[in-house]
Amino acid sequence: VGVGVALFRPHNAKKGEGALLAAAVGNEIRVYRVAISPDDLPGADDDDGVGAGSDEKENAKHLLLGSVHVGDGFGCNAVSWSPTGNAIAVGCENGRVRVYMVLPTASSAGGGSGPSLELKLASDCEGHEKAVCSVSYHPRGG
């Protein structure tokens, strides 16, 4: 079973936004919001100490935002964020490279609960005879 992870933090991220982590395991891609500094945790702006307690902060280090089943027999080996953070490329065991657009859902816009991102297949590239073990975007591309 292949495993790949990629971290994306926008250059204009606001305090408390954290970063996005794409994890490719088996036949599934999951996107999490993760805290990579104490400022990214709930209650970080509370100067008076009121707000999220230390136990709550410890449990708020990641939040699943969305996931997609790539397909049976695909076996995700590698994952990479586009430089703009709007797409994820996935290298698969069966020689395919799939690109997913990362789209906010209505629940994220309305403040609802549940996953707040949708991963929509944008491209399915065939042609490699062996497993794709690495994928990467050009730094200026998107």
Side-chain angles (χ1 to χ4, degrees), residues 3 7 9 12 20 25 38 43 49 67 80 99 102 107 114 118 120 134:
V3 175
L7 188 67
R9 181 159 187 163
N12 60 349
L20 296 176
V25 179
S67 65
S80 178
V99 177
V102 179
S107 65
E118 175 187 1
K120 183 176 181 182
S134 177

Side-chain angles (χ1 to χ4, degrees), residues 19 109 125 127-128:
C125 307
H128 292 278

